């Protein structure tokens, strides 16, 4: 930059500011300018001065780019001074754009407020480029009969500068036949045409050399030139003529390649080859024209050779010439303007620039930000024009954020309320931009906003008060408890350390000499051994502090209760002991119940450990008793001379701990001759020496429970015994029928005598199993006894009878045999003869089953004789006999002699009563009856079992 420009920048350094204030969010647009080619470090502007922000009032004032800018512009953070970072080349930065802007956004923080500043720096052009022609020389053929005002386009010079520094005029060297006319095309470029102002004459002059010069408007001016060589051709009767010398057409930018753009037509009245016309672009046409368009040589139709883009170039100027094929042909030209029509072929673009960010697509904002705080900047654009380039933008995702327009098509994302990271740490928002074209294009961009943590939560303890119990005599360094504090903040703001709040212990020393706390875990440890008798409780506070800045803390109260341990022996306080002994006087005439002494003791422990009981360990004379609670020592009987002069006892005091401690003392009572005082307390003796029964509620409950258990157990035993007796009785009745015990197999009296406690029912040497079954279906006067299993063979008993006599009260059964054989019916021992009415009885000795097989001539039928009316002396025995009576007949038992134990015969006072006999029931009938009885017994057993189980469950529940 030259000195003039620098001076102008220094003197006229100014800016344009547009401010829009919305609630607590400030949006300011500030405009500056600078010149291209300025040296590095050149000042452009100062934001703090221009925005009236005084950094001295707030040392925390700062200016920061929202998004990292390029190195072209530098900004000082403390006051926002803008300077040139590197030399700017406007033509490289903006090409031929009429306006070249450098834009960026800055966030200014001052007095606890954020302010968004949009900065626009215009780069001014300097005349650092000269106009240049694409060709140094150009050749042009003109017919000598060319009419006046014929126009011939010249090459367009190129100048990269803009504005006044661009080409302003074209000049040609002095010439009387031609002049130059300059016109401005729609794209802003200037073009020149050579105009014929005087007729040509080939015979006079057939060649012209003209220098064309293009000059810009810079200061100083710069120019460029080219040489034009004109050749005058001989007369040609007719030359091609265009229908229109100038055309203007429109072409949609989305037209495909090969589309027809326009068609030109020229006339030539000549015949033959002089009338054949060919078309083409004028020599020296711009390359961008020949790249995009092509023309048919014969038809003159111009078609699209390459795609066009409205956003790149909005208009094209074509110069088309028509020439015939004759000799000395003179061409004519036509100018065609092709305007590109915009279509909605571009979707809106969204650029999000967060205030603070470390990664793409993510913005950060502190949770301490106030309502309507600035979060990010959204810039939208659409390359299309008109309605196709108008964009509507909206924000979706969460009600805590909204859009607010900052400037033009730029919006701010601001908060609608205060934020709390502990509640919501991340928001996912969606930015939607849609143009107004037909059909509309829509762009959707997702964006994440993360809330950064602030140290706004102090550590909180799980309890406000911790109650801790420590048994005395603890080992120093032992663990007590752990306190826990939680901090909802993150990172270092959430890291908690623990410490003791300095305070004094009850003894005046520092609490740090009693306990310690682990700063990381919060575990508490003892530093000394506690003594309950000197320190019963202690209180102190623990503080939890986070590592945020500034740090936050909270405290909790620790209440330590020292638990008593039975570490102190009880000791006697009265009487005063010397060498663990005391002498107490007692009057010689003390009566029973005399209060000899009341001992007292003390235990430094507390609670149950200090509850004391008194006992007499040794009292040889058995004269004293002691109340275990009060320690009163009482005389049990009146003192006499035989008791002696010194009465010595040993007493002990015991505490009530689980592992009790005790002390003992020797008490010596000295009998004195002084009498008992009248006011001496006399205590009535209890039934026991030194124990009393104390009944309380728990004792009553325990006794009641024990009594109930005993009663319930007794009931179960009675029920069990009753059921057992029932079973045995039923077993007795069942096993008697067809039993397994021989009738008199084990009779110890000999082969002729069967005796037992139940007579015929069992023998003494047997296992007490029943031998006969009594058929209770018969009447009282008629009872049937069935033999045991040794006689169960039916054929031995079928159609036979037997008679049974009972002596009355004697339990022995005697079966006598005369020794003359079984066939002798007149047994000598019977002393009776047989007859029809009084048949004689033959004695019978029960034998095994095989014994009856030999008496094949006997047909016996059993009968039952009720002998309860017999009167016989003690020692009489049962006699079993069988009569020879037919089957199912009625017979009378003959007279029978009772014999005593010596073999003598006792005459009865009257003959035996006669009884009716019957047949023996069949074995099958008894078997069926036995089965029915077994089912009944099983039911009864089941009921008994259920009763016993129910009783047992009740006992268990009770």
């Amino acid at each position: 930059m030259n000195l003039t420009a620098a001076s102008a920048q220094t003197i006229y350094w100014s800016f344009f500011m547009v401010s829009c204030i919305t609630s607590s969010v400030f949006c300011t647009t500030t405009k500056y300018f600078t010149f291209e080619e300025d040296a590095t470090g050149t000042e452009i502007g100062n934001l703090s001065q221009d925005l009236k922000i005084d950094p001295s009032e707030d040392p925390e004032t700062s200016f920061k780019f929202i998004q990292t800018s390029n190195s072209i512009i530098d900004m000082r953070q403390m006051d926002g001074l803008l300077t040139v970072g590197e030399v700017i080349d406007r033509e490289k930065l903006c090409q031929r754009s009429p306006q070249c802007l450098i834009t960026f956004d800055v966030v200014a923080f001052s007095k606890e407020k954020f302010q968004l500043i949009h900065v626009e720096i215009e780069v001014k052009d300097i005349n650092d480029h000269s106009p240049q022609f694409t060709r140094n020389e150009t050749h042009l053929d003109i017919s000598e009969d060319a009419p006046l005002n014929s126009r011939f386009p010249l090459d367009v010079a190129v100048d990269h500068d803009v504005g006044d520094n661009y080409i302003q005029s074209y000049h040609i060297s002095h010439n009387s036949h031609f002049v130059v006319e300059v016109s401005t095309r729609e794209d802003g470029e200037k073009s020149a045409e050579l105009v014929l102002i005087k007729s040509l004459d080939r015979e006079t002059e057939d060649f012209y050399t003209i220098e064309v010069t293009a000059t810009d408007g810079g200061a100083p001016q710069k120019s460029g030139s080219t040489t034009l060589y004109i050749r005058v051709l001989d007369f040609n009767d007719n030359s091609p003529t265009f229908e229109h010398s100038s055309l203007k057409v429109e072409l949609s930018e989305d037209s495909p390649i090969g589309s027809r753009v326009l068609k030109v037509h020229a006339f030539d009245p000549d015949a033959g080859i002089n009338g054949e016309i060919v078309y083409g672009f004028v020599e020296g046409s711009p390359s961008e024209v020949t790249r995009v368009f092509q023309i048919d040589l014969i038809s003159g139709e111009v078609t699209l050779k390459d795609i066009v883009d409205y956003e790149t170039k909005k208009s094209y100027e074509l110069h088309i010439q028509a020439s015939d094929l004759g000799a000395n042909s003179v061409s004519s030209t036509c100018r065609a303007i092709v305007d590109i029509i915009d279509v909605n072929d571009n979707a809106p673009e969204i650029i999000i620039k967060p205030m603070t960010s470390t990664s793409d697509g993510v913005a950060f904002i502190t949770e301490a930000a106030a309502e309507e705080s600035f979060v990010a900047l959204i810039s939208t654009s659409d390359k299309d024009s008109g309605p196709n380039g108008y964009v509507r933008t909206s924000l979706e995702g969460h009600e805590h954020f909204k859009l607010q327009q900052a400037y033009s098509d730029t919006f701010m994302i601001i908060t609608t309320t205060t934020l709390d990271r502990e509640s919501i740490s991340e928001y996912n928002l969606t930015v939607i931009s849609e143009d107004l074209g037909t059909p509309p294009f829509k762009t959707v961009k997702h964006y994440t906003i993360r809330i950064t943590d602030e140290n706004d939560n102090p550590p909180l303890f799980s309890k406000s008060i911790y109650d801790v119990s420590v048994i005395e005599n603890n080992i120093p360094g032992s663990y007590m408890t752990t306190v826990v504090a939680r901090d909802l903040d993150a990172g270092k703001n959430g890291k908690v350390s623990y410490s003791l709040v300095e305070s004094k212990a009850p003894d005046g020393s520092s609490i740090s000499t009693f306990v310690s706390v682990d700063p990381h875990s919060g575990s508490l440890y003892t530093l000394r051994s506690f003594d309950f008798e000197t320190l019963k409780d202690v209180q102190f506070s623990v503080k939890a502090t986070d590592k945020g800045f500034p740090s936050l803390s909270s405290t909790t109260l620790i209440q330590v209760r020292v638990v008593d341990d039975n570490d102190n022996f009880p000791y006697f306080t009265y009487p005063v002991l010397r060498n663990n002994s005391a002498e107490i006087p007692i009057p010689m005439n003390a009566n029973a119940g005399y209060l000899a002494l009341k001992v007292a003791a003390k235990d430094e422990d507390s609670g149950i450990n200090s509850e004391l009981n008194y006992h007499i360990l040794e009292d040889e004379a058995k004269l004293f008793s002691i109340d275990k609670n009060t320690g009163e020592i009482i005389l049990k009987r009146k003192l006499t001379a035989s008791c002696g002069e010194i009465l010595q006892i040993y007493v002990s005091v015991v505490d009530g701990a689980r592992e009790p401690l005790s002390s003992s003392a020797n008490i010596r009572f000295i009998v004195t001759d002084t009498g008992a005082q009248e006011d001496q307390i006399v205590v009535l003796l209890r039934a026991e020496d030194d124990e009393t029964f104390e009944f309380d509620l728990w004792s009553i409950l325990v006794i009641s429970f024990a009594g109930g258990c005993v009663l319930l157990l007794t009931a179960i035993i009675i029920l069990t015994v009753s059921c057992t007796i029932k079973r045995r009785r039923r077993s007795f009745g069942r096993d008697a029928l067809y039993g397994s015990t021989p009738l008199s197999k084990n009779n110890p009296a000999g082969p002729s005598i069967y005796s037992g406690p139940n007579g015929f029912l069992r023998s003494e040497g047997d296992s007490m199993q029943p031998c006969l079954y009594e058929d209770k279906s018969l009447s009282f006067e008629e009872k049937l006894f069935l033999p045991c299993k040794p006689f169960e063979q039916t054929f031995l008993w079928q159609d036979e009878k037997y008679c049974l006599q009972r002596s009355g009260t004697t339990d022995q059964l005697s079966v006598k045999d005369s020794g003359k054989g079984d066939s002798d019916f007149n047994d000598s021992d019977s002393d009776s003869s047989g007859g029809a009415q009084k048949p004689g009885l033959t004695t019978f000795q029960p034998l095994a089953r095989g014994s009856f097989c030999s008496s094949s001539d006997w047909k016996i039928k059993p009968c039952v004789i009720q002998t309860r009316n017999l009167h016989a002396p003690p020692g009489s025995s049962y006699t079993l006999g069988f009569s020879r009576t037919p089957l199912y007949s009625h017979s009378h038992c003959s007279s029978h002699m009772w014999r005593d134990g010596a073999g003598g015969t006792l005459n009865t006072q009257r003959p035996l009563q006669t009884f009716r006999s019957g047949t023996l029931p069949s074995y099958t009938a008894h078997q069926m009856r036995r089965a029915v009885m077994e089912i009944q017994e099983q039911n009864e057993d089941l009921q008994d079992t259920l009763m016993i189980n129910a009783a047992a469950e009740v006992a268990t529940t009770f």
Side-chain angles (χ1 to χ4, degrees), residues 569-589:
F569 286 83
Y571 60 91
F572 288 98
T573 59
Y574 184 83
V576 178
L577 301 178
R578 291 182 177 85
N579 296 327
N580 206 33
S581 178
E583 294 183 353
I584 305 298
I586 185 171
M588 61 180 298
N589 61 345

Side-chain angles (χ1 to χ4, degrees), residues 748-770:
S752 300
I753 300 299
Y754 177 81
S755 62
N758 294 323
F760 191 67
L761 298 178
R762 65 182 69 246
S763 63
E764 292 180 358
D766 201 359
S767 60
M768 298 303 291
Q769 292 184 355

Side-chain angles (χ1 to χ4, degrees), residues 712-727 730 940-956:
L712 186 59
L713 182 60
T714 303
I716 294 174
I717 293 174
I718 294 173
L719 182 60
T720 305
V721 171
S722 175
C723 294
T724 303
I725 293 174
K726 287 182 180 181
R727 289 196 189 97
R730 290 195 297 270
E940 294 177 359
D941 291 342
L942 179 59
Q943 293 178 358
D944 294 340
T945 303
L946 292 177
M947 292 176 62
I948 294 173
N949 291 339
E953 291 179 0
V954 172
T956 303

Side-chain angles (χ1 to χ4, degrees), residues 330-370:
V330 178
S331 62
S332 60
T333 60
C334 172
R335 187 178 71 169
I337 305 298
V338 180
D339 292 330
I340 308 301
I341 304 301
D342 181 46
V343 297
N344 193 25
D345 59 344
N346 292 282
E349 295 181 357
I350 300 175
I351 299 175
I352 301 179
K353 295 179 285 187
M355 184 176 66
T356 56
S357 176
T358 58
S359 60
D360 293 337
V362 180
F364 294 89
I365 184 172
T366 174
E367 63 176 333

